[in-house]
Every structure is written in structure tokens, then in C-alpha cells.
Amino acid sequence: MTTRRTPLPGVGTQYDFATESGHHLSVVLHNDGRRFLGFYAADDPDACLLSVPLEPEEATALAHLLDPAPLDAVRTDGIDLVTEHIQLGARSPYSGRLLGDTGARTRTGASIVAVLRRTGAYPSPGPGFRFATGDTLVAVGTREGVDALAEIIAGG
């Protein structure tokens, strides 16, 4: 297995992955947040057979399918806490709204401890923080609380 990172000036970054069995795929992360999953011919590493565009929510879901364990698990006094990244997609009822509008901590017991945006990270956002489509929310709580928060953010 080999992995290679290639900067694409003005575009983003391409990550190439070759498996032990000789399959080649890549992930291209564009500077504007778009993501593409590419599949290549085994005998020609430059021949892309298929390119699949992924919405941010789809990329997150695929990552969770490949590694279903929480991103960072913390065990404290017999209580399992998880830290997870939750994508705020275009269909979220909270896009453009304030963090306080979610009632996240009251409704789920989970906390949004940071918001990651293409322009930077916003640690410890207060209730007046305004969400934007494409934000990644960093949530901490119990498995059930974080799952409930993800459902609320998705509009479920």
C-alpha cells in the first residue's frame, strides 16, 4: 500500500492511494471544498476510469463507513465521550442561523466546541455564532448525544 500527496496549485490537493493488489484511486480536495473520488486503470496510472463528485456530507458519510469508530474517543470515569465532526450541509435548517437556535446542549447534552470553516477555525463558539453552509461542527458528548445532535443539524 502506498499513499502520495500532490499539491495542485490553484486547485487543491490530490491524494493517491495504491492498494497491495494494485488498484489505484485518488481523492482530490479542491480549495473551494469540492471533493472527487477517482478510480484509475491498473496498467495506466494516468487513465482515470471514473471520477465521482462528493458533497461534503457524502464525503463525511463515506469516511464514517470506512472507519466507523468515532474520530477521537475519550474515556473518563467510566463514561464514554466521543468527539465527532458534523457537516452542516445546504439542506440543514441551521445554515445561516445562530448556534443558540439549535438548543444543542439542552436538547442532546452534546456541546459544539469548535466550528471549522474554509477561512479558519472558531474554537468555543458562543450562542451568537452564525453557521454557514459547509461548516464542520466539532461536537463532544456521549455517543447518543452526538448522534442526536447530528440528526438535529441534518434537519431530522
Side-chain angles (χ1 to χ4, degrees), residues 1 11 15 17 20 25 34 44 53 57-58 60 62 80 86 89 92 99 103-105 129 132 136 147 150 152-153:
M1 173 189 83
V11 176
Y15 296 89
F17 180 82
E20 299 262 343
L25 57 118
R34 292 178 298 144
D44 183 356
E57 303 89 0
E58 296 166 334
T60 299
L62 179 59
D80 286 323
I86 301 170
S92 172
L99 183 151
R105 195 173 312 136
F129 182 88
T136 300
D147 287 348
I152 289 167
I153 296 300

Side-chain angles (χ1 to χ4, degrees), residues 6-14 28-34 36:
T6 306
L8 304 173
V11 176
T13 305
Q14 180 170 331
V28 177
L29 305 176
H30 286 251
N31 293 335
D32 64 6
R34 292 178 298 144
F36 291 84

Side-chain angles (χ1 to χ4, degrees), residues 55 57-58 87-95 133-134 152-156:
E55 295 295 322
E57 303 89 0
E58 296 166 334
Q87 280 297 130
L88 194 137
R91 294 187 194 116
S92 172
Y94 295 101
S95 184
T133 299
I152 289 167
I153 296 300

Side-chain angles (χ1 to χ4, degrees), residues 74-98:
V74 178
R75 187 150 181 92
T76 308
D77 299 324
I79 300 171
D80 286 323
L81 294 178
V82 297
T83 302
E84 255 193 47
H85 292 182
I86 301 170
Q87 280 297 130
L88 194 137
R91 294 187 194 116
S92 172
Y94 295 101
S95 184
R97 292 183 54 196
L98 302 177

